[in-house]
Amino acid sequence: MDMEVEEAGMAEPTLDDLESLPRGGFRCRLCHVTVANKPSLDDHLRGKKHQRLESLRSIRQDQELRSVFVSGFPKGTPASELSDYFEAYGEVVNVVMDKDKGVYAIVELQDREVLEKVLAQPQHSLGGQKLRVKPREKKDFKYTPPRKQGSAKREQLSPEKLAQELCQADDVDAQMTRMVQLFEFSEGERRLRDLLVTLFQEVFLEFFPGSAILPFGSSVNGFDVSGCDLDLFLELEKTKKFQASAKSAPGPPAEDEPDSHSEDSILSDIDLASATVPEVLELVATVLRKCVPGVHHVQVVPNARRPVVKFCHKDSGLRGDISIDNKLALRNTRFLQLCTEIDERVRPLVYVVRHWAKQQALAGNPFGGGPLLNNYALTLLVLFFLQTRSPPVLPTVARLKELSEDEEQTVVEGWDCSFPKDSTQLEPSGNKENLCALLADFFRIFGDYDFPGCLISLQEGQPLPLPSVLQSEVGSKLKLGPFNLQDPFELSHNVAANVNEKTALRFQRCCQAASKYCRSLQYQRKSSKGKIWGLVRLFQPGTAEAEVPVAAEFVINLPLTLAVLPAETHELLCQARDFQLRCFQKVCAGIAFILQDVLKCSCLEAQQGSEEERQAVPEGKQGEQQTEAKAGPLSAGCKRSLDEEEADSSSPSSKRPRTDTLVPEGESMTWDCATWHKVWLGRRRVRRQLRGPQPDQQQAAGSLELEAKVSEAISQQEGGGKPADPLFHFSVCARVRADAFVKQDMRISLCFEPAPEQAAAFQEFFHFLQGFLPRAVEQHLAREA
Ligand code: ATP
Ligand code: MG
């Protein structure tokens, strides 16, 4: 340990250095470091960087107290002359001249005593000119990370500077185009990246004959942001071929073939055709470490969805990835680029939405991995939005395929990725909406979107209902969740599969808040009084956090495929009311089963007659008595109190909702429910624990028995049994929708109403239900059938 750090070990962190962030994070103002939680904060505070900066700060503060600010000397006076002059009062430790113009100097003296002597002198003069000598201003210690030599990165754009720049624009459209100019690469940065790619190319060609290094991602897809990572693809197809042919025909290589089997070729250590991806990446990492000048922090990440080698370029500070099996990314990069060429509104919209999402902590995954949207997914969402305008701003992917010529047909990893090469072949969009209105509509639409209930398809340019998706071949492979966004080409890939319920919910809430703001004059018009306006307020973090949508509508649409019901001639029976009612009845039984048996909620049919009256009705006649309870405040339609229900628990069958024997009058059914445990939290982890390391086939993902056990385990963790009070009450009303029986689908809407004042508590559970309930009900019905 060096002296500086040892000394620093005694320094105390000051509270002013620390800032608490929402969601348990912290920011160390001294080091400009953000950490996710308290243990990481403690690590940081004990770490080298923080300790060193603390020490540096105390040294600087001490220096400040012993230094004077001197000006008034003749231009060109050397530091030594100033030093000599002040030596008359005591020892001078250092003189720092103003580098720029040489008009002032900081003179550091031996100690406070000398300083006081200097300041006590009423007048100082040097070379016949009067000197001004004063104590140094007390400045806050500010750490500026050392500027990387040769860095072509733009100066970090501070939020204040951004706000200032944007407020100067004339209208929101001008603000949006300005965003692009402020964030995109400078000429220097683009050149630097090109040079780096060339350097990599040269080195890799030496070791992997015939290989190519191809940049993809935001460096080249039209959505470049200064400082973004450098994504590289190492194409080894030709190298593999060379190696194979060299093996089958030993002897010197043909003239046009590189020598891939000589003694010193790295390829003599590996057979590319049979080596695993991590093995090849290890080799790539070795080449990077040993042979590419200026590259450090090389690390293989073998377990990512697309394994990569990470690296950092020392001089520029650029970070990057090299992958070897990511050809689809090359193609989707070109697709994004094509979209920016098709319409000039694409870039400003994407830049603004990305920056907004980053400010609201919805995108970016700052702590690596994580449940946020990534920039690729967010960009696809904007492109999808532009496909759905009327008339569309962008064509659908299917339409682009139709427009592509024979020679443009491209299939990658079995997926059709054909689209025209040249955007000028395409007709410009007839859509004339301006950026300001498009952005407002983006927020309006996604503030009220059924993310868990559909699959957003750029291929089709429309949301696809989940039941029909699940029936399709790709659907069964899609990892569905609370946010379903289909890759435009790799159709079985949900690019937002990592997004959790909480983020999906926050995304929606933030869109709602942004949409509300976009309706205000503050958004639409430049302030004449110099106040912030337009995009600036949109970028302030956390604006949606405080707002709980009390009046939000809690509706889940249950689109069900009739195929899950008994196999009868659906087309014919769809017309018959009897059949429709039977279907509805079965679905209602399913809903009650999931809420009560799988999610351990209390769930009771709401009805107007008393429990005694209901009990007195002969079996089979109960349906006639059943009336729809108004989905009003909780328990309005429920005569049994929860206490009574508790008391009944000895005879569980008596409190089971009898949806299986009742035909609802009209086509709606209401239950009064209560939730006792946070069964929506940590399900994935509990599920993994219950399944054990080797999941048995019968307990495959999604089995309802397993889901019931998961809920049970969560309630046990929370102390088991029913606490004195439920977490919240709510009512659910299932209604057959007007367009209920369309072709093979049946649509039922579930309207949830939390008890007054409990909307905020209910929100998280509801969001979980949005993803869970439709699938669980469908599974239950399939099993019953
Ligand atoms: P930035 O680096 O600025 O966040 P990016 O577009 O480069 O933006 P990366 O996460 O670096 O995003 O990904 C690089 C590229 O890899 C993307 O542009 C896209 O082509 C592809 N990609 C990233 N994530 C996915 C994904 N989930 N599914 C499919 N392709 C993806
Ligand atoms: Mg990238």
Side-chain angles (χ1 to χ4, degrees):
M1 195 187 270
D2 58 35
M3 261 319 281
E4 199 177 285
V5 175
E6 251 176 54
E7 273 172 28
M10 294 180 289
E12 283 291 309
T14 78
L15 279 180
D16 286 351
D17 291 339
L18 304 180
E19 181 187 347
S20 298
L21 300 177
R23 293 176 291 285
F26 292 93
R27 182 171 165 74
C28 172
R29 291 198 187 102
L30 176 63
C31 311
H32 301 268
V33 164
T34 304
V35 290
N37 49 35
K38 183 77 172 56
S40 311
L41 175 70
D42 292 338
D43 284 348
H44 168 73
L45 294 178
R46 280 192 298 268
K48 239 179 170 180
K49 178 175 184 173
H50 185 81
Q51 295 286 331
R52 184 174 287 135
L53 285 180
E54 287 230 73
S55 155
L56 195 60
R57 174 168 57 187
S58 59
I59 292 170
R60 291 268 166 84
Q61 283 167 347
D62 176 53
Q63 282 172 338
E64 258 178 21
L65 293 174
R66 294 183 279 108
S67 306
V68 283
F69 180 92
V70 183
S71 58
F73 44 81
K75 222 173 167 183
T77 304
S80 55
E81 224 176 297
L82 284 170
S83 178
D84 290 346
Y85 172 80
F86 285 102
E87 290 278 11
Y89 299 89
E91 196 178 327
V92 173
V93 179
N94 196 13
V95 177
V96 180
M97 304 294 293
D98 145 34
K99 264 194 243 137
D100 222 343
K101 304 199 175 81
V103 294
Y104 71 87
I106 307 286
V107 179
E108 187 186 336
L109 305 157
Q110 161 85 2
D111 51 40
R112 298 283 294 272
E113 246 174 72
V114 184
L115 177 105
E116 269 149 29
K117 272 195 217 160
V118 169
L119 293 176
Q121 177 70 27
Q123 205 166 327
H124 293 277
S125 57
L126 183 69
Q129 277 191 245
K130 204 172 133 195
L131 292 182
R132 276 187 300 281
V133 179
K134 51 177 197 166
R136 287 198 59 190
E137 305 254 357
K138 304 281 167 295
K139 278 207 222 111
D140 281 346
F141 174 78
K142 279 215 181 91
Y143 163 66
T144 355
R147 229 184 115 86
K148 305 274 173 17
Q149 261 190 354
S151 166
K153 270 198 231 166
R154 221 184 263 274
E155 286 278 318
Q156 270 276 325
L157 185 65
S158 69
E160 295 77 26
K161 177 93 176 102
L162 176 65
Q164 197 186 5
E165 288 278 350
L166 295 179
C167 282
Q168 281 167 13
D170 289 333
D171 53 26
V172 174
D173 278 46
Q175 285 190 327
M176 290 178 71
T177 30
R178 185 81 188 113
M179 281 289 290
V180 179
Q181 295 163 348
L182 290 168
F183 282 86
E184 68 186 348
F185 292 158
S186 64
E187 262 312 297
E189 179 156 6
R190 191 167 290 288
R191 235 186 354 260
L192 173 89
R193 284 173 190 249
D194 290 347
L195 281 172
L196 266 177
V197 172
T198 314
L199 172 71
F200 278 100
Q201 177 69 78
E202 279 173 10
V203 175
F204 279 109
L205 261 179
E206 286 289 322
F207 291 94
F208 298 101
S211 67
I213 275 281
L214 305 166
F216 67 99
S218 54
S219 295
V220 286
N221 66 12
F223 303 108
D224 43 290
V225 166
S226 180
C228 68
D229 67 350
L230 176 63
D231 302 294
L232 298 173
F233 175 71
L234 176 61
E235 156 89 274
L236 290 170
E237 283 310 306
K238 272 195 189 155
T239 320
K240 274 186 203 164
K241 279 194 197 137
F242 287 143
Q243 195 184 38
S245 65
K247 275 207 173 132
S248 60
E255 228 167 66
D256 60 334
E257 267 184 24
D259 183 1
S260 62
H261 61 146
S262 72
E263 282 296 295
D264 57 351
S265 166
I266 204 167
L267 286 183
S268 51
D269 299 342
I270 194 166
D271 173 24
L272 286 179
S274 61
T276 61
V277 171
E279 281 166 357
V280 180
L281 287 179
E282 274 305 338
L283 203 61
V284 170
T286 310
V287 173
L288 279 180
R289 282 189 197 111
K290 299 203 170 150
C291 309
V292 185
V295 161
H296 69 162
H297 296 323
V298 177
Q299 189 196 354
V300 178
V301 185
N303 299 324
R305 179 174 169 268
R306 299 279 182 184
V308 292
V309 182
K310 287 189 172 297
F311 64 86
C312 184
H313 182 248
K314 219 180 205 164
D315 285 353
S316 62
L318 271 188
R319 277 168 304 120
D321 291 345
I322 299 185
S323 50
I324 55 165
D325 65 341
N326 204 359
K327 269 199 158 169
L328 277 164
L330 289 181
R331 202 60 191 148
N332 66 39
T333 292
R334 176 60 203 137
F335 165 69
L336 297 193
Q337 203 179 25
L338 181 78
C339 291
T340 64
E341 290 160 12
I342 293 176
D343 196 286
E344 62 180 19
R345 286 166 290 184
V346 173
R347 287 187 83 208
L349 255 183
V350 169
Y351 276 75
V352 170
V353 170
R354 278 188 179 197
H355 189 68
W356 164 81
K358 189 173 164 201
Q359 295 306 104
Q360 307 302 327
L362 296 166
N365 291 318
F367 307 123
L372 306 186
L373 281 159
N374 69 20
N375 276 334
Y376 176 63
L378 203 55
T379 306
L380 291 180
L381 192 67
V382 178
L383 300 184
F384 169 77
F385 164 74
L386 292 173
Q387 291 178 336
T388 56
R389 305 308 296 165
S390 179
V393 176
L394 289 175
T396 65
V397 176
R399 177 73 191 132
L400 284 173
K401 179 176 152 46
E402 283 168 13
L403 293 170
S404 58
E405 308 282 344
D406 285 351
E407 69 274 12
E408 288 160 343
Q409 300 301 313
T410 312
V411 175
V412 181
E413 294 178 18
W415 301 105
D416 191 335
C417 304
S418 313
F419 51 80
K421 267 200 192 94
D422 184 2
S423 62
T424 54
Q425 293 167 7
L426 306 170
E427 260 192 32
S429 159
N431 182 303
K432 297 283 173 263
E433 289 170 281
N434 65 19
L435 286 167
C436 172
L438 282 171
L439 182 67
D441 241 27
F442 174 90
F443 292 128
R444 185 183 60 78
I445 286 171
F446 292 118
D448 184 25
Y449 210 78
D450 184 15
F451 287 112
C454 72
L455 175 68
I456 292 176
S457 159
L458 280 90
Q459 177 80 214
E460 308 286 335
Q462 58 175 329
L464 308 176
L466 283 195
S468 37
V469 170
L470 286 166
Q471 300 263 300
S472 67
E473 203 190 319
V474 292
S476 55
K477 295 185 197 132
L478 266 162
K479 201 171 152 215
L480 296 170
F483 208 114
N484 304 307
L485 178 51
Q486 189 181 39
D487 188 86
F489 306 108
E490 191 184 0
L491 301 182
S492 63
H493 174 45
N494 172 13
V495 301
N498 63 312
V499 172
N500 65 9
E501 273 119 25
K502 199 168 163 193
T503 306
L505 173 64
R506 284 194 58 249
F507 185 84
Q508 206 152 33
R509 264 202 233 159
C510 289
C511 283
Q512 284 164 8
S515 169
K516 191 170 154 199
Y517 168 64
C518 288
R519 290 195 291 271
S520 71
L521 275 182
Q522 195 186 354
Y523 168 68
Q524 291 159 12
R525 288 214 202 124
K526 180 170 180 161
S527 161
S528 54
K529 295 180 188 145
K531 289 192 180 153
I532 59 165
W533 64 279
L535 297 183
V536 179
R537 214 196 93 213
L538 207 57
F539 294 155
Q540 288 175 345
T543 33
E545 221 76 60
E547 289 186 32
V548 176
V550 183
E553 281 215 328
F554 296 107
V555 179
I556 296 179
N557 290 316
L558 277 189
L560 295 159
T561 314
L562 294 181
V564 300
L565 291 165
E568 292 165 64
T569 39
H570 298 134
E571 282 293 337
L572 271 177
L573 285 173
C574 270
Q575 317 299 327
R577 186 178 157 77
D578 266 6
F579 178 72
Q580 295 185 359
L581 287 183
R582 253 183 56 210
C583 290
F584 180 61
Q585 188 188 5
K586 281 198 174 292
V587 174
C588 287
I591 294 164
F593 175 80
I594 302 299
L595 287 173
Q596 184 168 275
D597 294 39
V598 178
L599 296 175
K600 312 293 173 198
C601 298
S602 312
C603 181
L604 203 67
E605 268 172 44
Q607 54 181 299
Q608 286 177 341
S610 70
E611 179 65 6
E612 287 72 19
E613 281 162 2
R614 199 174 83 106
Q615 297 286 346
V617 179
E619 278 287 334
K621 291 264 176 176
Q622 285 167 335
E624 293 160 28
Q625 298 282 314
Q626 187 72 14
T627 45
E628 182 200 339
K630 248 185 129 41
L634 181 88
S635 294
C638 175
K639 292 285 173 184
R640 290 185 88 206
S641 74
L642 288 158
D643 295 341
E644 284 169 317
E645 195 195 331
E646 276 280 48
D648 258 6
S649 59
S650 52
S651 56
S653 58
S654 67
K655 65 171 196 170
R656 218 159 268 283
R658 292 178 212 177
T659 39
D660 48 350
T661 54
L662 298 174
V663 174
E665 203 178 271
E667 275 133 41
S668 80
M669 168 103 59
T670 302
W671 299 269
D672 288 329
C673 308
T675 298
W676 302 84
H677 296 283
K678 291 188 175 172
V679 288
W680 61 93
L681 287 184
R683 290 190 78 84
R684 206 171 292 172
R685 182 178 43 80
V686 176
R687 202 179 287 132
R688 258 202 315 271
Q689 285 165 356
L690 288 176
R691 270 206 220 123
Q694 275 154 344
D696 109 29
Q697 282 304 310
Q698 294 217 310
Q699 294 225 323
S703 131
L704 294 178
E705 285 77 16
L706 177 63
E707 294 305 323
K709 283 187 193 155
V710 171
S711 307
E712 186 56 41
I714 294 175
S715 50
Q716 289 303 328
Q717 280 169 12
E718 289 185 8
K722 280 184 181 159
D725 291 311
L727 295 171
F728 43 78
H729 295 281
F730 60 97
S731 69
V732 196
C733 175
R735 243 187 218 100
V736 177
R737 285 170 39 156
D739 57 348
F741 293 86
V742 195
K743 292 191 191 144
Q744 293 290 297
D745 289 348
M746 170 176 54
R747 286 153 192 268
I748 287 171
S749 77
L750 288 181
C751 187
F752 290 75
E753 189 159 338
E757 314 299 326
Q758 295 192 314
F762 175 72
Q763 180 99 39
E764 271 191 29
F765 179 54
F766 173 74
H767 203 68
F768 157 74
L769 287 179
Q770 280 183 302
F772 185 86
L773 198 61
R775 273 177 282 156
V777 171
E778 180 133 11
Q779 217 177 339
H780 175 74
L781 294 178
R783 200 174 58 174
E784 294 280 289

